[in-house]
Amino acid sequence: MLKRGILSKCLMSKCLMSKCAWKKYEPISINKSLRDNTPDVYAIMREAMIKLERQYTLGSRVELTAKEQAANDVIMNEKNMEFKKGVLDPAKFVSGRRVYQVLKRIKDSRLFGILQKMPKGGILHAHDTALCSSEYLVKLTYRKDLWICTTDEGCRAIAFRFAKQKPTLKAMEKCNWEPMEEYRSRRGDENVRNYLLRRFSMYPVSTYQSNNAAWVDFMSIFILLDGLLLYAPVWRDYYYNALEELHADGVQYLELRSLLPNLYCIDGEQLEVNDTMAIYKTETERFMSKNPNFIGAKIIYAPLRSVEPKVCEEYVQKCIALKTEFPTFLAGFDLVGQEELGRPLIDFVESLLKLPEDINFYFHAGETNWYGTSIDQNLIDAVLLGTKRIGHGYALVKHPLAMNLVKQMDIAVEVCPVSNQVLQLGQDYRNHPAAMLIANDVPIVISSDDPSFWWAAPLTHDFYFAFLGIAPFNADLKFLKQLAMNSIRYSGLSNHEKSIAFEKWQKVWEIWIDDVAKVKPS
């Protein structure tokens, strides 16, 4: 529910300021008095200002135990070594490079190894068909009854489909269907494997002419994967494997944005949306039964935003029905797709206001470099609609009033560092706008968006860049611990569920701390 008291207070404050704006204010000159300070006084003032500034930084209020401090010494030693490399030769500072240029170097670093084992809490921003590794996707193409549709004499894959006989489904482009076994035999197993590894990701393109060009490539992967992943038995296995990969990467909880597509059977029959939800729920419970320290998962219904407003009305009705059938498993609602080419939230407000209060909003907003347009104004609508979190929020720092409201209303920003770079919003992580959020203690969580498409770990690469590139040099274990705790605090879990979640996280956190504290310095 929108916190009207905070909103009214803030807006009234701004209003009073505007009424007084006609008065002429003379700048106060303090240059002379400051110049009169002795070096000792200057040193005291400087130290006080630095300390005050650090008190506003995310994680500054976290208290470390003696064991955590010992682990922190190890972590900061590794971080300092990475910084020294960058100071001596900026070209060697990985957080100033494109992710594809430094993937191997990062994975081989001791800091990455430490962060990978760190219990990071949950991923609160991820999409349904962009979770599993490219290697797993290739493995799925060996399944029985899979057909591939290709063009350019078999050099370009257009679609997949599971079927007993040649599919009659019309693909996005004119192409030729053939059994996957025959295609692999004709092209060569290793050639097909290498081709698909590249085709299922945006690797190795370091940069595109524009973010629109990046999005075209990005969306083409989703389209290609539909026929492969929407086969009901594969969908079940894919999701379960995603949970395994997340868990191995130090993730204990997932809030998944899903289109909730209609899955299909081998005979072509389409299942209902609630069948898709049931598979998610069943597989989550199965995984939790085998992994008792896993907290769980919830689904955010997230259909496409590039539709007519009347279609959003259908989304709303579908979401209400799903909430009735899956009251604790459905976390909320979002609209997804490229903001710059999709419709802004303002176009859907009439329908969105019809959603009941027990269905939370988790809106994508501000995933853009544009300023003062209907695109970045999605941030305004997200706040006014009472969103619980903001997906990306890349443009939020350009809207100081909105940023202040986000902080006061305790709305977390889902920061996805690698995604922002790959989709051409920025290159050097040191310039990422989330640094301003961190400096002002605006609540954030670190998420990965679509890690499969850029050969990244489920969450560790994003933590690595946030810790080494976006956060200040002195950000330490306090910062990392705050991020992990935020992922539970700002999740869609109930208060009771959060209490259990913190207990599960704390147990593995203490084990990790003990292990890190024993690591010998490099």
Side-chain angles (χ1 to χ4, degrees):
M1 186 175 180
L2 185 61
K3 300 178 182 178
R4 294 176 182 171
I6 293 173
L7 181 63
S8 301
K9 186 177 179 181
C10 270
L11 293 177
M12 182 61 71
S13 174
K14 292 291 180 182
C15 181
L16 290 173
M17 287 173 63
S18 65
K19 288 180 179 179
C20 297
W22 62 271
K23 292 185 179 181
K24 185 177 180 181
Y25 289 94
E26 294 293 335
I28 300 173
S29 177
I30 57 174
N31 290 341
K32 186 176 180 181
S33 58
L34 288 176
R35 293 288 179 88
D36 289 341
N37 288 328
T38 65
D40 288 341
V41 171
Y42 179 87
I44 293 171
M45 291 173 64
R46 184 177 187 276
E47 184 180 358
M49 188 170 179
I50 291 173
K51 284 183 177 180
L52 284 170
E53 191 172 62
R54 287 180 179 175
Q55 287 178 9
Y56 288 103
T57 306
L58 185 77
S60 61
R61 290 183 293 277
V62 172
E63 297 290 336
L64 298 182
T65 65
K67 281 189 176 180
E68 286 175 332
Q69 189 56 59
N72 186 49
D73 292 341
V74 174
I75 292 169
M76 292 306 289
N77 179 63
E78 297 300 326
K79 184 177 183 179
N80 290 341
M81 289 179 66
E82 293 288 345
F83 263 89
K84 286 178 181 177
K85 293 177 188 175
V87 172
L88 293 173
D89 184 357
K92 293 181 179 179
F93 188 59
V94 292
S95 291
R97 306 285 298 280
R98 292 281 179 183
V99 63
Y100 296 139
Q101 298 171 336
V102 291
L103 266 175
K104 188 177 186 307
R105 279 173 52 190
I106 292 172
K107 288 182 179 179
D108 291 342
S109 74
R110 282 165 58 100
L111 180 60
F112 182 87
I114 291 171
L115 293 178
Q116 188 158 42
K117 294 177 182 178
M118 172 186 159
K120 293 176 278 292
I123 293 179
L124 303 187
H125 187 125
H127 296 271
D128 48 13
T129 54
L131 284 175
C132 289
S133 62
S134 297
E135 288 82 0
Y136 182 76
L137 291 174
V138 172
K139 187 178 178 180
L140 290 175
T141 65
Y142 286 88
R143 293 281 181 106
K144 184 181 177 182
D145 298 321
L146 180 63
W147 294 68
I148 185 172
C149 200
T150 63
T151 188
D152 297 343
E153 298 182 352
C155 291
R156 192 158 61 94
I158 303 299
F160 291 99
R161 189 76 177 180
F162 284 92
K164 290 293 185 182
Q165 298 179 349
K166 186 176 181 177
T168 56
L169 183 73
K170 190 174 181 180
M172 295 287 290
E173 296 182 39
K174 186 177 180 181
C175 55
N176 298 314
W177 287 103
E178 64 179 312
M180 192 66 199
E181 300 97 321
E182 293 182 13
Y183 176 73
R184 187 172 272 113
S185 176
R186 183 167 59 84
R187 303 289 299 181
D189 185 76
E190 190 64 19
N191 289 335
V192 171
R193 180 182 180 278
N194 291 334
Y195 166 69
L196 291 178
L197 282 174
R198 293 194 305 272
R199 185 64 183 85
F200 290 153
S201 76
M202 297 175 76
Y203 186 87
V205 181
S206 292
T207 184
Y208 294 83
Q209 289 186 340
S210 69
N211 63 320
N212 282 359
W215 270 87
V216 169
D217 196 4
F218 180 55
M219 293 305 298
S220 74
I221 306 173
F222 282 110
I223 294 169
L224 176 63
L225 289 175
D226 277 356
L228 178 64
L229 300 182
L230 268 56
Y231 178 47
V234 169
W235 186 267
R236 184 185 305 275
D237 293 344
Y238 177 90
Y239 177 66
Y240 192 88
N241 182 78
L243 296 180
E244 288 184 322
E245 291 188 14
L246 266 62
H247 198 219
D249 198 50
V251 177
Q252 292 175 269
Y253 177 71
L254 171 66
E255 279 186 15
L256 184 65
R257 283 169 165 86
S258 179
L259 295 172
L260 293 179
N262 296 100
L263 307 180
Y264 72 93
C265 301
I266 196 69
D267 60 1
E269 177 192 0
Q270 277 203 333
L271 302 181
E272 298 297 324
V273 170
N274 54 352
D275 294 320
T276 307
M277 279 288 284
I279 289 175
Y280 278 136
K281 189 171 186 294
T282 300
E283 293 306 296
T284 299
E285 291 168 350
R286 183 164 74 95
F287 187 81
M288 291 176 67
S289 69
K290 295 183 178 181
N291 300 275
N293 71 348
F294 192 73
I295 294 165
K298 290 183 186 289
I299 301 299
I300 297 171
Y301 176 40
L304 296 172
R305 70 189 315 134
S306 56
V307 296
E308 295 294 323
K310 62 181 180 181
V311 178
C312 188
E313 183 67 35
E314 297 172 13
Y315 291 164
V316 166
Q317 296 307 315
K318 186 182 293 185
C319 191
I320 293 173
L322 288 168
K323 186 66 174 178
T324 301
E325 187 171 355
F326 302 93
T328 60
F329 193 59
L330 182 75
F333 182 84
D334 185 16
L335 291 166
V336 300
Q338 187 181 3
E339 283 185 74
E340 290 160 0
L341 298 183
R343 284 183 175 272
L345 286 175
I346 186 63
D347 287 4
F348 306 116
V349 166
E350 185 176 348
S351 297
L352 295 174
L353 289 173
K354 296 177 182 178
L355 276 167
E357 291 283 353
D358 64 339
I359 298 177
N360 291 328
F361 289 134
Y362 300 99
F363 287 124
H364 275 70
E367 188 184 3
T368 183
N369 278 325
W370 294 107
Y371 178 31
T373 69
S374 62
I375 305 164
D376 57 308
Q377 285 176 358
N378 281 329
L379 290 161
I380 307 301
D381 293 298
V383 171
L384 293 177
L385 284 165
T387 193
K388 296 298 182 182
R389 298 194 305 267
I390 291 175
H392 295 287
Y394 196 85
L396 182 60
V397 297
K398 297 175 182 177
H399 297 267
L401 175 57
M403 186 172 75
N404 188 39
L405 285 171
V406 163
K407 181 176 180 179
Q408 293 196 46
M409 295 168 68
D410 209 25
I411 301 169
V413 180
E414 302 161 352
V415 178
C416 306
V418 180
S419 173
N420 296 156
Q421 189 197 63
V422 175
L423 293 178
Q424 306 299 294
L425 292 181
Q427 176 174 337
D428 192 324
Y429 291 103
R430 291 170 294 181
N431 295 328
H432 196 289
M436 183 68 77
L437 304 180
I438 293 168
N440 286 277
D441 199 17
V442 176
I444 69 168
V445 293
I446 300 298
S447 293
S448 51
D449 203 13
D450 307 279
S452 170
F453 292 0
W454 25 89
W455 289 7
L459 189 55
T460 303
H461 280 95
D462 289 276
F463 257 74
Y464 179 91
F465 285 119
F467 185 52
L468 190 62
I470 302 175
F473 171 75
N474 62 338
D476 57 8
L477 186 59
K478 292 181 179 182
F479 173 73
L480 293 172
K481 188 175 183 180
Q482 185 70 67
L483 290 177
M485 293 190 297
N486 277 0
S487 71
I488 298 174
R489 175 182 175 182
Y490 294 101
S491 70
L493 295 166
S494 67
N495 289 335
H496 176 66
E497 290 171 327
K498 286 179 182 178
S499 177
I500 296 172
F502 273 117
E503 287 181 11
K504 288 187 175 184
W505 171 79
Q506 186 67 36
K507 286 180 181 178
V508 291
W509 174 266
E510 289 175 359
I511 294 171
W512 176 73
I513 288 295
D514 287 341
D515 291 341
V516 175
K518 296 173 187 175
V519 174
K520 294 181 180 180
S522 299

